[in-house]
Amino acid sequence: MKTLAASLLTVAVLTASACSSDTTEPESTPSPTSTEAAQPEYVAELQSTVEQLMRDNAIPGAVVQISSPDRGDWTGTFGTSTIDADDPISPDDHFRIGSNTKTMTVTAVLQLVEEGRLSLDDPISKYVEGVPNGDTITIAQLAEMRSGLYSYSFDPEFNATLDREPEKAWTPEELLAIAFAQPVNFPPGEQFEYSNTNTVLLGLVVEELTGMRIAEAFDERIFVPLGLADTSFPANDDSSIPDPHPQGYMFGTNVSTIDTFALPEDEQAAAVAGTLKPNDVTDDNPSWTWTAGAAISTVDDMTTYVKALVGGGLLDEQMQQTRLDSVQSVGGGTAGYGLGMAQFGPLLGHDGQLPGFMTFMGHDPETDLTIVIATNLSTVPSGEGSALTLVKGILPIFYGSSYQPPGDPARAPGAEESTPAPTPGG
């Protein structure tokens, strides 16, 4: 499925939309450490907003974690782990975090640059043979999504195989063979185009230079130093998720969503009404994403991780600044992408969409606000990523009612966003 690979994006400043519905409101609960008396002032509005958006968009369950030195910390759970069951989501649940994994892969690459073991200007052909334009595609261009390489996630036969054999264990070499059989999309560096192929290649570079399997490299370089005890990278033949975890759901099939995740209008209405149910894809094997998206985590660990990713703690000061400076506007507005890092207005971080799950992690380096969201639905019936639907509703609570959330530079292909609105003064 192409859920983790986006085509060239036209990014506009967007308003979050919501419509009315008669379906039952998702039940929300504060985290076990919160009390009604101690809740931050924003909680009531945030709960109401999330519940409305979940009801309007058929999102079964969600965990939202807010960390703010000025306005207080809070974790809330909403809805259910299993559709049509009294099975509430837990703040300790594990989720597949999809393309947030890309930030980990690029972090390991940047650490290797710090160690003098490679350069961002090195051609990928120095490490991996057979890459189209490999002599002129640099490590930096792969990390910044500017290589021009075809993303294997778009291949129709690949998507058909995912539907036929959802538990198939894929190797990186199989994925790259699909990509390399197609023409390149543009010369290296010419433009931005989100592609899983780029990050799979970088995963091979990390394994070659560390002499470790990627799971071991992540453990040694990221998970253990940050104390991410509930974050893991599964073996290729492992389709399981550590307990506790919700069931993961997706509307449509891999083949039916190649062009768009949006359901036909009549099916959208049925999905919101609850008469059209999404498919349970919890046990689909994530190996087809490998270092582009197979990691698993919790909201607590993701909060710790994104603070270090953006605020420092994984790289030395110079390399951290290089990473922050690499973020460039993508299509206009306040969305951007750099060295394995996305910008969503004032927040830096990433999102991740995989069959059954979507997560978002963002940190504002100016205010230290951190927002992490995890859901057990890939995309909502209208086609937008479920966690992004929620974060767009939440952002105005922290940035003012006139705030208009940006588009998503790491948006999955065909995943619709809200109707574009003109930017002020333009």
Side-chain angles (χ1 to χ4, degrees):
M1 183 178 181
K2 76 290 179 189
T3 322
L4 291 164
S7 59
L8 178 64
L9 304 178
T10 301
V11 180
V13 176
L14 305 168
T15 55
S17 62
C19 58
S20 62
S21 171
D22 293 328
T23 55
T24 303
E25 182 172 308
E27 180 180 356
S28 64
T29 58
S31 67
T33 57
S34 299
T35 65
E36 291 297 325
Q39 285 184 359
E41 47 77 26
Y42 60 78
V43 169
E45 183 180 2
L46 188 151
Q47 285 181 312
S48 176
T49 298
V50 170
E51 288 163 359
Q52 179 73 39
L53 288 169
M54 289 178 66
R55 183 169 61 245
D56 293 344
N57 292 280
I59 301 172
V63 184
V64 177
Q65 185 160 100
I66 306 294
S67 175
S68 171
D70 297 328
R71 300 182 66 175
D73 299 347
W74 182 81
T75 302
T77 59
F78 301 80
T80 62
S81 293
T82 307
I83 289 177
D84 295 331
D86 183 14
D87 183 17
I89 284 273
S90 164
D92 298 322
D93 277 343
H94 295 79
F95 293 80
R96 299 197 193 279
I97 64 170
S99 283
N100 288 299
T101 310
K102 290 180 171 69
T103 66
M104 300 169 179
T105 305
V106 177
T107 293
V109 167
L110 296 177
Q111 291 172 341
L112 290 166
V113 174
E114 284 181 359
E115 296 162 16
R117 300 167 77 175
L118 81 161
S119 166
L120 288 173
D121 294 326
D122 283 347
I124 186 58
S125 60
K126 184 175 179 180
Y127 307 98
V128 182
E129 296 180 351
V131 182
N133 285 342
D135 290 339
T136 52
I137 294 173
T138 67
I139 297 296
Q141 287 166 343
L142 293 169
E144 294 175 339
M145 300 293 176
R146 296 178 180 274
S147 72
L149 292 172
Y150 175 85
S151 181
Y152 62 85
S153 308
F154 286 113
D155 184 78
E157 180 53 34
F158 169 75
N159 283 271
T161 303
L162 292 179
D163 286 332
R164 289 193 306 267
E165 304 175 56
E167 295 192 15
K168 174 179 167 61
W170 295 82
T171 67
E173 291 75 18
E174 287 177 301
L175 303 174
L176 293 177
I178 295 170
F180 297 166
Q182 300 294 330
V184 298
N185 293 330
F186 52 84
E190 185 176 88
Q191 62 190 52
F192 172 88
E193 185 174 75
Y194 197 74
S195 170
N196 286 335
T197 303
N198 295 330
T199 322
V200 169
L201 281 166
L202 292 177
L204 291 178
V205 173
V206 173
E207 287 198 334
E208 178 178 336
L209 293 181
T210 63
M212 299 178 177
R213 303 298 294 172
I214 196 68
E216 297 174 287
F218 282 170
D219 278 342
E220 181 176 293
R221 293 172 170 272
I222 300 172
F223 302 163
V224 172
L226 293 182
L228 306 182
D230 291 311
T231 302
S232 59
F233 189 88
N236 279 23
D237 60 354
D238 186 358
S239 298
S240 67
I241 306 175
D243 290 325
H245 70 82
Q247 298 301 105
Y249 298 95
M250 176 181 107
F251 287 106
T253 67
N254 294 288
V255 169
S256 73
T257 56
I258 286 179
D259 295 324
T260 177
F261 287 112
L263 296 173
E265 288 192 15
D266 59 334
E267 292 186 9
Q268 290 186 35
V272 172
T275 56
L276 174 65
K277 304 294 185 182
N279 302 312
D280 187 331
V281 292
T282 309
D283 296 325
D284 284 15
N285 189 308
S287 61
W288 66 268
T289 68
W290 199 49
T291 50
I296 296 167
S297 193
T298 63
V299 292
D300 278 348
D301 274 10
M302 291 179 71
T303 293
T304 299
Y305 173 65
V306 75
K307 288 180 178 181
L309 176 73
V310 178
L314 290 166
L315 304 171
D316 65 30
E317 185 175 346
Q318 181 178 354
M319 185 58 70
Q320 181 69 14
Q321 193 60 51
T322 295
R323 185 175 215 171
L324 295 174
D325 290 344
S326 73
V327 178
Q328 303 178 49
S329 176
V330 179
T334 56
Y337 204 88
L339 292 167
M341 180 180 288
Q343 179 179 9
F344 306 82
L347 301 177
L348 292 169
H350 217 283
D351 61 9
Q353 185 180 312
L354 197 68
F357 303 91
M358 188 176 185
T359 51
F360 172 90
M361 60 178 191
H363 178 75
D364 185 337
E366 298 296 323
T367 67
D368 283 336
L369 170 69
T370 302
I371 299 175
V372 172
I373 299 173
T375 70
N376 60 341
L377 179 72
S378 307
T379 58
V380 302
S382 64
E384 184 173 64
S386 57
L388 288 173
T389 294
L390 299 184
V391 78
K392 286 181 178 182
I394 290 172
L395 285 174
I397 297 172
F398 295 94
Y399 293 99
S401 59
S402 62
Y403 179 77
Q404 296 178 318
D408 174 18
R411 174 166 57 92
E416 297 297 329
E417 299 197 79
S418 305
T419 304
T423 57

